[in-house]
Amino acid sequence: MSPYFSFQAYVYRGQGRPLGRTLEQAAEAMNSLPGLFFEWDGSLTWANQTAGWQIDATIFDDGQQIQYIDLHGRAVSREGCRRLNERIGDLFAAWGDPDELNLMRLPDRRWQNLHDFAKESQGDD
């Protein structure tokens, strides 16, 4: 079954700056997110197959701060997409100030803030 919505994006602060948080700070904030599986190699998975969404990511740091995050996700329905967007909002809050973080959508390298990403992913005009 093909997904209702799927994406790949890189997450940066602004348009291409490091996130300004260490991997340890992000890990501590993500610990409060129920069901999220994080590994110290920077990989994470967060999914609910019943609700129809999954997020996978790899956090890249230089030992001092997070440089960027390679984020993938998919949802199988409009409701799954709504929940996917809620979870991405939770991740943005764990990674820094959500108002400062942007997604570089791949493959077209188009910048989006969290609000515009959510509107597009749910098909809202």
Side-chain angles (χ1 to χ4, degrees), residues 51-121:
W53 60 270
Q54 181 167 335
I55 298 168
D56 298 293
T58 304
I59 301 172
F60 293 90
D61 75 325
D62 65 1
Q64 296 181 12
Q65 66 179 319
I66 297 170
Q67 296 298 303
Y68 70 97
I69 298 165
D70 183 1
L71 182 67
H72 304 254
R74 63 186 165 278
V76 298
S77 66
R78 186 173 174 90
E79 177 60 21
C81 199
R82 185 187 67 75
R83 291 177 185 237
L84 173 88
N85 282 302
E86 288 173 357
R87 301 296 90 77
I88 292 172
D90 293 339
L91 284 171
F92 269 43
W95 295 335
D97 180 347
D99 292 332
E100 292 183 357
L101 300 180
N102 287 308
L103 301 108
M104 181 200 302
R105 294 287 300 278
L106 299 172
D108 56 353
R109 302 178 57 86
R110 178 172 40 100
W111 291 102
Q112 286 185 311
N113 63 28
L114 191 56
H115 176 74
D116 290 338
F117 172 82
K119 283 178 54 176
E120 181 179 309
S121 67

